[in-house]
Amino acid sequence: MVRALDRKVLRDLRAHAGQAVAIAVLLACAVTTLVGSVATARALERSQARYYAEHRFAHVFAAARRAPEGIAARIAALPGVAEVETRVASSATVERPAGGPPASARILSLPPGGARVNVPYLRAGSGLDPDRTDQVLVSEGFALANQLRPGDRLGVVVNGKRQVLRIAGVALSPEFVYAIRPGDLFPDDRAYGILWTSRAGLAAAADLEGAFDEVAVLLAPGAREADVIAGIDRLLAPYGGLGAHGRDRNVSHRFLSDELAQLRAMAALVPAIFLGVAAFVVSVVLSRLVTTQRQQIGALEALGYGARAIALHYAKLVSIIALAGGALGAIGGIALGRAFARSYADFYRLPVLAFEGEAGVVVVAVLVALAAALAGSLGAVRRAVRIAPAEAMRPEPPASYRPTLLERAGLFRPLSPAARMIARDVARRPIRALLSAAGLACAVAILVVAWFAADAMDLILEQQLVVAQRQDLTVTFTDAVAPAGALELRSLPGVRAVEGFRAVPVTLRRGHRSYRTALTGVDPGADLTRLVTADGRVVPLPPAGLVLSAKLGELLHAAPGDRVEIEVLEGRRRTGPLTVALLVDDLLGVQATLSRRALADFLGEGDLLSGAQLSVDPAALDVVQARLRERPRVAGTTARAASVAAFRSLVAGFILAYMAALGALGAVIAAGVVYNAARVTWAERARELATLRVLGFTRAEIWRVLAGEIGVHAALGIPAGCALGLGFVGWTAARASTDLYRIPAEISAATFVRAALLILAATAAVLLAATRWVRRADLLDVLKSKE
């Protein structure tokens, strides 16, 4: 008995090979995305952990204006501290050997015996010679972008003092896997890099002999980070301490950690959609198969096969398809995961990639695909085994048709005979039409989810780098200066407008919640930098009261009218409350903004500026930047055009590549759904359509009836898919958003159009193949009476 049913499984697979392959491909896509996403996330997590451990990434960081070296021993004596390393850090200007405007850099000292915390990973060349002060290590991204190699010489200006340093090696650091210039929104390797040099040489240039301005700390196992941070703050407060913080406030670590969180979210959402669509298609196809095999099931029951054997038979059929798709998906998932993990490792410049086979994930993914397929077939199998033998062996009673409400209303009269057939069939079998439309809607939704990232990135670029930030250059000063020092910049040739700003590091507290950020003071009428909401609305800055990003308000549980405690982390470290006047739903970072006059009053200082925003004639931009770098009080400049270029490079080279892969899988899903919908429709109407051929209809007329019905399903499914995709996008955007950036649930009309056109193209391709089905219709079978 088992052998006979097994032979029937093989015959069913041959008879429905096209649909079996389509279902297997759907399941393969789901397994590919699940295995690929999880394998990528786990590989990055392992790589991050190994990199941090092997190169001793600090747990706590702190900065001060100038602390004596003797304080290091007192920090090391704090409970929970395992290792302390002090250093000198400074901003620097780097002359490019190939010419062009100089770049900015962060230059850090290394101790003579080599670093014990945040140990650089040497990619090329050699380490620093402890007996020389004219050597430097260069971060890999900066070296590659500027074609720098060991042995080259760099002109570096630190604290107004120019030095010529020889590149000893190219290095990476766990502290800077995402090297981004302070104040920038995106990394720009060509314009910003990390340099490491000897402690003696840098201390002399920065006037910090016998002192330090930064400290990195490794914690002992079981140590409480908060206690160590409090102790460091207490020790550094007399020396201009700027507030210690843990890894969670390290920008590089945050970006990588948030990326991992997004990968985990995508690993949960996208495969779930694919598996749901595959389960739906399995349910529809198997239901149709059970219907067509009604008499066979009755005969099997009459011959003594029990309900359990018949149910097992159909479960075997589904399992073979699911396991074949799962095996194919496992292979694709490992390949996709390896490619994605390598891409992420290259982007974040991780020196090691701990990618493993993820056998456990593969097994789970295949079992999940199998469970989804069996769940989709459950209803059809239940109906199969419930059919009584005597009832099943009788032909299925013909449907009882009567004019529908629409037909009685006369709405079908203007239609041609073929169109009337289509309308009647859809109206009389609405469930079948809705199921086919639902499958197509899921395919549209998958494509919308895969492609929406490009729209979201375009909106971020437009709102933050075009509408909100209208300056051409941002200039930061080494120390706060009087307004005259900034307005003096207006005299530079090519400068059209200058707007000053004041920024101080602060910790905002409300109840037990706190957040460390910069409090920025700008003029209420500022035009070069504006407060802009996610929908593009410009919000005027009130003359009094604190304006917070909506995300920051959420983190602090603060609303307009609430009071927030402000602790300034520099200068006299003033503390006091400020009232929240407004929350702005922006897209990047978390901003705390105040009018410049109100900030000066709060700080108890005169009218001072930390920097200025400049509007510059594009033809004079390079000249203005060169003139600014000659000024000793200018710490650095940032060109908005460079930020836009860096953003576009990031999106085009990384984010969209990831989404393109998901889009390709979505396209395969769409084609599979369309094919199965068409095959089911043809299987259910083949006898009727062949009967029309016997009655004298041409093959073209028969094909038009079939094509018209599939077209109605597509017309119903595409709008529903757009709405479903919008819901999926909203959920995905909410899960992926962080305090560093919010992904707007933005979908352009072009994305909806592309998704619809792809579904229509897949439908057209399937309908083209349907001409072959029509040509091969067996007219003799129509003449045989089922009864």
Side-chain angles (χ1 to χ4, degrees):
M1 292 195 324
V2 173
R3 286 195 299 272
L5 287 181
D6 288 344
R7 286 196 297 272
K8 183 177 181 300
V9 168
L10 297 177
R11 286 196 297 269
D12 287 341
L13 286 173
R14 284 195 299 270
H16 301 85
Q19 288 171 283
V21 169
I23 293 172
V25 169
L26 296 182
L27 292 169
C29 289
V31 172
T32 295
T33 55
L34 180 57
V35 172
S37 299
V38 174
T40 300
R42 288 191 175 182
L44 288 180
E45 287 171 348
R46 283 192 295 267
S47 301
Q48 179 193 43
R50 184 179 300 177
Y51 187 24
Y52 284 4
E54 291 178 356
H55 292 268
R56 301 171 66 81
F57 182 40
H59 296 101
V60 175
F61 300 83
R65 296 190 66 83
R66 181 188 179 93
E69 190 60 37
I71 295 295
R74 296 176 62 187
I75 295 175
L78 291 173
V81 173
E83 188 82 54
V84 173
E85 187 165 285
T86 62
R87 66 190 183 190
V88 175
S90 179
S91 59
T93 299
V94 181
E95 299 168 0
R96 290 197 182 103
S104 300
R106 177 171 170 77
I107 186 165
L108 307 168
S109 69
L110 290 178
R116 303 181 310 277
V117 181
N118 299 327
V119 181
Y121 176 91
L122 200 64
R123 281 284 208 189
S126 62
L128 300 178
D129 186 336
D131 297 326
R132 299 182 61 175
T133 61
D134 64 341
Q135 291 185 334
V136 67
L137 299 180
V138 180
S139 60
E140 184 183 52
F142 185 71
L144 293 175
N146 291 283
Q147 300 179 346
L148 300 175
R149 292 177 293 276
D152 290 347
R153 295 189 176 275
L154 280 183
V156 179
V157 179
V158 178
N159 197 26
K161 302 170 185 177
R162 183 178 184 274
Q163 305 175 65
V164 177
L165 303 176
R166 178 182 171 274
I167 298 177
V170 176
L172 300 171
S173 170
E175 189 179 358
F176 301 105
V177 292
Y178 192 82
I180 183 170
R181 177 167 44 192
D184 280 6
L185 301 174
F186 311 100
D188 184 357
D189 286 333
R190 190 169 183 274
Y192 181 74
I194 308 298
L195 308 179
W196 295 267
T197 190
S198 70
R199 175 72 174 262
L202 185 56
D207 297 326
L208 285 171
E209 293 95 335
F212 65 88
D213 57 0
E214 287 193 1
V215 61
V217 173
L218 281 173
L219 300 181
R224 293 188 71 250
E225 182 182 278
D227 292 343
V228 174
I229 288 175
I232 294 174
D233 282 343
R234 185 175 63 254
L235 291 173
L236 293 182
Y239 308 103
L242 300 179
H245 61 85
R247 285 180 180 175
D248 60 320
R249 301 308 305 165
N250 177 275
V251 174
S252 172
H253 174 74
R254 282 296 310 280
F255 269 97
L256 181 55
S257 299
D258 287 347
E259 191 67 52
L260 289 172
Q262 288 188 14
L263 278 175
R264 287 190 289 269
M266 294 299 290
L269 173 66
V270 177
I273 298 174
F274 284 12
L275 287 168
V277 173
F280 170 77
V281 173
V282 169
S283 176
V284 173
V285 171
L286 202 61
S287 295
R288 176 57 203 161
L289 179 63
V290 170
T291 301
T292 59
Q293 294 186 354
R294 175 188 175 93
Q295 290 180 302
Q296 295 179 29
I297 293 171
L300 289 172
E301 289 183 315
L303 291 173
Y305 289 90
R308 182 176 178 181
I310 295 173
L312 184 61
H313 159 70
Y314 285 105
K316 284 181 180 179
L317 177 65
V318 172
S319 297
I320 291 173
I321 297 172
L323 291 175
L328 180 63
I331 296 172
I334 293 296
L336 186 68
R338 189 181 299 277
F340 278 167
R342 171 51 57 193
S343 177
Y344 276 102
D346 290 344
F347 178 78
Y348 286 105
R349 305 199 180 279
L350 299 175
V352 292
L353 177 59
F355 186 87
E356 299 177 1
E358 301 296 347
V361 176
V362 170
V363 171
V364 170
V366 172
L367 291 178
V368 168
L370 177 61
L374 290 174
S377 65
L378 186 62
V381 172
R382 185 186 295 113
R383 288 193 295 274
V385 299
R386 285 183 176 178
I387 301 176
E391 178 67 22
M393 294 179 69
R394 284 198 294 267
E396 189 174 4
S400 177
Y401 291 123
R402 60 176 60 89
T404 64
L405 180 62
L406 296 177
E407 198 170 354
R408 290 197 298 270
L411 298 180
F412 292 175
R413 292 196 191 100
L415 302 178
S416 66
R420 197 174 303 172
M421 291 180 196
I422 296 168
R424 283 173 174 167
D425 193 68
V426 171
R428 291 169 177 172
R429 299 174 179 175
I431 300 299
R432 187 185 67 186
L434 290 175
L435 289 176
S436 294
L440 293 172
C442 290
V444 173
I446 287 173
L447 294 173
V448 170
V449 170
W451 291 338
F452 96 95
D455 299 327
M457 295 301 106
D458 285 343
L459 180 63
I460 291 175
L461 177 64
E462 175 67 23
Q463 300 298 359
Q464 298 300 314
L465 298 180
V466 177
V467 179
Q469 299 187 13
R470 296 148 55 89
Q471 78 283 3
D472 298 301
L473 281 179
T474 299
V475 179
T476 53
F477 304 128
T478 55
D479 295 291
V481 302
L487 296 178
E488 177 190 350
L489 302 178
R490 182 68 179 83
S491 63
L492 292 175
V495 174
R496 297 168 173 168
V498 176
E499 292 178 356
F501 65 87
R502 179 78 167 105
V504 293
V506 297
T507 296
L508 290 80
R509 289 190 173 87
R510 186 167 186 271
H512 65 280
R513 297 177 176 85
S514 65
Y515 195 91
R516 178 174 172 171
T517 186
L519 178 57
T520 304
V522 298
D523 293 324
D527 184 60
L528 296 182
T529 55
R530 305 185 295 182
L531 300 175
V532 177
T533 62
D535 58 4
R537 183 169 50 89
V538 178
V539 178
L541 178 69
L546 191 61
V547 178
L548 302 180
S549 297
K551 184 65 177 181
L552 182 53
E554 175 188 328
L555 294 172
L556 296 174
H557 283 213
D562 291 338
R563 293 169 73 82
V564 174
E565 189 72 17
I566 309 294
E567 178 188 351
V568 180
L569 302 177
E570 70 173 25
R572 287 179 286 178
R573 304 178 73 93
R574 296 290 297 271
T575 62
L578 288 174
T579 301
V580 177
L582 188 65
L583 296 180
V584 177
D585 184 21
D586 50 13
L587 296 175
L588 285 175
V590 286
Q591 319 300 330
T593 309
L594 195 63
S595 74
R596 194 154 59 85
R597 181 178 295 277
L599 179 56
D601 291 342
F602 179 81
L603 296 175
E605 63 183 19
D607 190 8
L608 298 177
L609 299 177
S610 304
Q613 311 290 0
L614 276 60
S615 174
V616 181
D617 184 341
L621 189 60
D622 291 343
V623 174
V624 171
Q625 286 184 282
R627 295 282 296 275
L628 288 171
R629 278 186 287 270
E630 295 172 357
R631 297 179 174 237
R633 302 202 69 176
V634 172
T637 62
T638 303
R640 184 172 64 97
S643 297
V644 172
F647 178 82
R648 292 193 184 280
S649 176
L650 170 68
V651 171
F654 186 67
I655 296 175
L656 294 189
Y658 179 78
M659 289 301 176
L662 294 182
L665 292 173
V668 173
I669 288 280
V673 169
V674 171
Y675 176 80
N676 276 291
R679 285 299 298 181
V680 168
T681 300
W682 168 253
E684 291 184 342
R685 300 207 65 190
R687 186 178 180 86
E688 300 170 17
L689 297 177
T691 302
L692 295 178
R693 282 281 291 123
V694 173
L695 295 176
F697 280 66
T698 66
R699 287 191 178 95
E701 290 172 325
I702 298 301
W703 181 84
R704 282 197 293 271
V705 172
L706 176 64
E709 187 162 344
I710 298 300
V712 170
H713 297 167
L716 294 173
I718 288 174
C722 291
L724 185 62
L726 187 60
F728 283 152
V729 164
W731 188 87
T732 303
R735 289 289 301 273
S737 296
T738 70
D739 55 332
L740 292 177
Y741 49 85
R742 268 76 63 200
I743 297 179
E746 176 73 11
I747 309 174
S748 69
T751 294
F752 286 125
V753 170
R754 283 196 301 270
L757 288 178
L758 184 58
I759 295 298
L760 292 176
T763 303
V766 170
L767 291 177
L768 187 63
T771 58
R772 185 166 174 264
W773 308 342
V774 173
R775 287 197 305 270
R776 296 179 61 183
D778 189 354
L779 300 185
L780 292 178
D781 184 60
V782 176
L783 300 176
K784 299 175 184 177
S785 172
K786 281 188 175 184
E787 293 74 26

